[in-house]
Structure formats: structure tokens, C-alpha cells
Amino acid sequence: MRKVWMTKWAITASLTLLCSTLAACSSGNGSTPAVTKEPTSLDVSEKQILKVSVFTEDRFLEEAVNKFEQAYPNIDVQIQETVPTEPIANMESQMYDIVPAAEDIEKYVNSVNTALMSGNAADLISVGYLPVDRYLDKGLLSDWSKLADQDGEFQTADYYERVLKGISDTNNGWYAIPISYSLKVMLGNKAAIAQGGEIDDETWTWEQFMALSQKFASQAQASGTKTSVFGGMKPEELLGYLTETIYEKLVLKEGTSRTFDEEAFRVYMEQIKELYDSGAASKDHLGIMNQVFSTMDILDPLAIATLPSTLGNGIAEVLTPPGTGTDEGLPFTSDLAFALNKQSKVKPAAWEFVKFLLSEEIQSSPSLTVLPVHQAAVKTRVEQITERLNSGEASVVLTDKNGAAQSLSATDEQINDGLNLLPSVGNYEHKDDKVIAMIKEETASFFSGSKSAEAVAAAVASKVNTYLNE
């Protein structure tokens, strides 16, 4: 179980937050005022119940529901959480990337599946961790466009539109709305990349990344120094990361059936193993000064505020991860994105609640610990955090491998540098988390040398095909 998604920085430093929590520090004068605006597009003459299914109900959602029910007294929002929120005893610790337990994810998936198949599903369904393709194939989710387009008060220009409308496709329209989001980027050592030639990270593929990595590795060996090209992941984790970025290239769809591309997957496995066997890649973090590429999670406004400092103030740069060769923008994911049950009898109420969650006032709440979708709200949150960092009310410390510590602050210029990254976000990682978990589990035996590439690729394809088409 988990309470909060915390950041794991893929750099040489460990990140420590030395205040009880930025959200807690934001109480008092910095708190978000209650929203009292009356609804304009919803008939609330009768009492309505809006059921909302989520993996877990965090403080942000709890506070938002309370404020929404004050503004809309005839709408009773009933949150159905599968995994109860677990309190965190001590925030004065290193920032870890806390992953939900597999059994908790399975519990949520089974709960939603059973409810949808029985016709008793909630009106709003948080699609994080869910096999959404199955619901789309069966026509169980609505397109949000009709409700949003009919609402003259809702201005999509207020948001990062590529994120707001990013969870959509040509066959099913806009099938989920993210309330918040996060992204995983690749970092590149600018000086090292310059020595190897320019790269077009907007359109590069994994094949190009593998070839470039081998080139960098051979150059390092020729110069007599050994520089890791990529670090910070086990080989099976890198393969899972690769699969996430090109999921729809490896999981081929024809009608409602799906087929895993076993041969292409085998080639990727072998290429990644060669990277690690040759020493070009390492599971260890060696720092942005000592490796060409690494990954970094950008989960919250704090990460945006401190991004320039995290990048060594010019040592590293943010790159789009390798992908399919098309410019789709930085990939993003969302743990709180709502789909609308097609069978819902209170769709206008569902839209009003989602619109409320997207309002600037609610998106600016300090309890929203992930990145807001609202442009003005994320700027407000970044500025609030920066003010606390610069005043000493909160502290973030980067510690290198030698134990040297550096307290971070942020200037207006650095804030803008961080915020300027967000308009380039727009490629939703359309993946099934269970497939990614299968890949990581099954391929560990290949990377350890106990099984052949052919045997492992066949086993992965068999399991994935069975799961996707059951």
C-alpha cells in the first residue's frame, strides 16, 4: 500500500526533504480557499449520488470532496477506495519511489472488473493500474467530449491541453481525464553527448539509442577511461521501461485481439544484454558527471522548482526517451485519471465533479502532491515551494557520493526553465502495468544467463498473449 508517490531522483544525489511535508507547511495563510460557486450546467433539484471508484483516497481527494459537497449540497459524492490510505509516520527521510504492492493492484483491478461486468460499477472510475483496453473494446466507457463541449464555462486553454486530452484515441475518443500527472524523462550529459554528435531526441528510436550507446562505450575505452553510458536500472527494468515507451509497437492490435511481437522483443532483450555485458550500461547510479544517460522521475512541483539545480545548472539536459521515431512529446502517466461509466445515470454530476477537481482553486491545493494539469495552478505551486526553499522554511539537500551536501534554492529564471518543460509533455503511456510486470519478472532469468533469449521471449509472448486475450 502507499499513501504518497515520492520522488526517486535518477542522479548521483539522494534527495532529502527536511520539513514535515510541504503540504503541511502550506497550511494557514497559504491554504486553498473554499470554492462556493454555484453550478451552472447541472440540474440539482433532486438529491443525487455520485459514486467514484479509486485505488486509494488521499488527502487531496478527501478535501476536494468536502469542498465540492459544500458547493453542490444536493450531490452526495461517495468515494469507493479499494486500498485504504496508509499514514506516513515520518516525512523527514529520503525520498523513495513507493510502488503499490502487486496484490493491492490486483485487488483494485478485480474489484472494478467485477463491478463493470455486473453493471454495478461506479459512475467515475480512476483508470490507473486498470486494463483499460478491455473496457474500451466492450464499449463500457464514455467519450468526455460531449459534456465538455457543451459547457461554455470550461476553457481548455487554461490547461496543458496535450495532457488534459492526452488519454484518448481515434476509436474511443477522450475516454479519461487526468486530474494530475507525472513524467519520466531521460537525462543526457551535454558535454558527453556533444563529443558523440548531435541527437534528435524528439524522434530517436531505441535502435538508435542502442547503437549510440555502443559508440559512446567504444570511444570511452579508446581514451583509456571507462564511462558508463547508461546507469541506474537493472537490465530487466530497462527492458520494462523500453516496453512502456513503445507498448503499442510490441502489443499489436487487430480488432479486439492483441498479439505480442515475440521476435522484436527478443531482439531488444539481446541488445540490452549486450549493453550490460559490454559495460556500456550499469545498474548503479554513477552520477550525471560520470554517465551519458540516466532517467529521472518528475512527479511534483518540487521537482519542477529544483529542476535546474538537479541538472547541475547546465551539466545535464532533459531528453525525450527513445520511442517509435515520431515526435509525440514527453511521455506522461496519471495515477488519478477519471473515466466515465457509459451506464452512469448522473453523467452531468460526474462532469461537474471532474470540472471542479480541475478548477484552479482545487488544482492549487498543497495537498495535490503531483503535477497539476491547470497551468496557473502549477505555477502557483512552484512559486509557493520556491518561496519556502529560499526563505529556509523548507529545505532540499542534494548529497553526492562523497557525502558533500548542497542546499537547493531557485530563482525566477530557474522557475521559468522548469515550467518551460511542461508544454512539451503530451504522449500518454498507453500500457498495461501487468504486462510490464510480467516482462520484468520473466526476463530476469535471461539477463542472469540461466535461460536463452529464445526461451524467455517465447515464455513472455505466451503469458502476455494469454493474459491480453483471456
Side-chain angles (χ1 to χ4, degrees), residues 290-357:
N290 300 309
Q291 62 190 52
V292 183
F293 301 113
S294 57
T295 61
M296 174 180 170
D297 295 330
I298 299 180
L299 306 183
D300 50 32
L302 172 63
I304 295 297
T306 58
L307 182 61
S309 295
T310 302
L311 297 177
N313 293 316
I315 292 175
E317 61 183 331
V318 173
L319 304 174
T320 302
T324 60
T326 57
D327 182 8
E328 299 175 304
L330 288 171
F332 76 93
T333 60
S334 176
D335 292 327
L336 189 62
F338 285 118
L340 177 61
N341 183 354
K342 185 163 283 189
Q343 301 303 317
S344 172
K345 306 299 182 185
V346 290
K347 290 179 181 177
W351 166 247
E352 290 293 335
F353 181 61
V354 168
K355 184 174 71 170
F356 185 86
L357 294 178

Side-chain angles (χ1 to χ4, degrees), residues 7 9 11 13-19 21-22 91 93-95 300-307 309-310 385-386 388-399 404-410:
T7 311
W9 300 92
I11 53 176
S14 61
L15 181 63
T16 306
L17 182 62
L18 301 179
C19 67
T21 171
L22 286 174
M91 286 293 291
S93 60
Q94 288 188 355
M95 304 289 274
D300 50 32
L302 172 63
I304 295 297
T306 58
L307 182 61
S309 295
T310 302
I385 290 170
T386 300
R388 290 178 174 84
L389 289 174
N390 293 343
S391 68
E393 184 179 347
S395 177
V396 174
V397 178
L398 290 178
T399 306
Q406 174 193 2
S407 295
L408 298 188
S409 60

Side-chain angles (χ1 to χ4, degrees), residues 92-139:
E92 294 185 4
S93 60
Q94 288 188 355
M95 304 289 274
Y96 295 100
D97 184 20
I98 301 179
V99 179
E103 57 267 27
D104 287 337
I105 294 177
E106 191 73 19
K107 184 178 179 182
Y108 181 56
V109 171
N110 291 339
S111 173
V112 173
N113 286 350
T114 300
L116 279 169
M117 294 305 106
S118 65
N120 297 316
D123 302 289
L124 287 173
I125 301 168
S126 178
V127 298
Y129 316 117
L130 297 179
V132 179
D133 283 342
R134 301 187 183 193
Y135 312 149
L136 296 175
D137 289 343
K138 296 179 184 297

Side-chain angles (χ1 to χ4, degrees), residues 27-235:
S27 59
N29 294 335
S31 61
T32 303
V35 179
T36 58
K37 186 174 75 172
E38 292 299 322
T40 58
S41 60
L42 174 64
D43 180 5
V44 292
S45 59
E46 295 183 0
K47 185 74 174 180
Q48 299 181 61
I49 295 176
L50 176 65
K51 296 181 180 180
V52 182
S53 179
V54 296
F55 178 77
T56 190
E57 181 182 19
D58 61 10
R59 194 175 77 171
F60 164 75
L61 196 56
E62 182 180 0
E63 291 178 354
V65 169
N66 290 336
K67 291 180 179 180
F68 179 79
E69 290 182 335
Q70 292 174 20
Y72 297 79
N74 282 343
I75 302 178
D76 177 16
V77 180
Q78 297 182 358
I79 301 294
Q80 301 173 346
E81 68 171 348
T82 299
V83 181
T85 299
E86 186 175 88
I88 288 181
N90 181 20
M91 286 293 291
E92 294 185 4
S93 60
Q94 288 188 355
M95 304 289 274
Y96 295 100
D97 184 20
I98 301 179
V99 179
E103 57 267 27
D104 287 337
I105 294 177
E106 191 73 19
K107 184 178 179 182
Y108 181 56
V109 171
N110 291 339
S111 173
V112 173
N113 286 350
T114 300
L116 279 169
M117 294 305 106
S118 65
N120 297 316
D123 302 289
L124 287 173
I125 301 168
S126 178
V127 298
Y129 316 117
L130 297 179
V132 179
D133 283 342
R134 301 187 183 193
Y135 312 149
L136 296 175
D137 289 343
K138 296 179 184 297
L140 299 176
L141 306 179
S142 289
D143 184 341
W144 280 108
S145 298
K146 183 176 180 181
L147 286 166
D149 291 346
Q150 289 177 343
D151 191 335
E153 293 182 342
F154 187 68
Q155 301 297 317
T156 59
D158 292 337
Y159 303 87
Y160 292 105
E161 289 191 59
R162 296 178 67 187
V163 176
L164 179 70
K165 294 189 175 182
I167 310 181
S168 59
D169 61 37
T170 55
N171 296 324
N172 299 283
W174 186 17
Y175 62 86
I177 298 179
I179 305 304
S180 57
Y181 70 103
S182 60
L183 56 151
K184 176 176 283 185
V185 300
M186 188 166 280
L187 302 184
N189 183 303
K190 293 171 70 173
I193 291 174
Q195 292 180 0
E198 294 296 324
I199 62 171
D200 182 2
D201 66 294
E202 293 181 349
T203 59
W204 64 336
T205 64
W206 280 101
E207 288 80 2
Q208 291 172 325
F209 172 82
M210 303 293 183
L212 188 59
S213 294
Q214 293 294 4
K215 177 182 178 182
F216 281 132
S218 63
Q219 288 176 341
Q221 292 167 2
S223 65
T225 60
K226 184 177 181 181
T227 301
S228 176
V229 179
F230 180 85
M233 286 184 178
K234 296 178 181 178

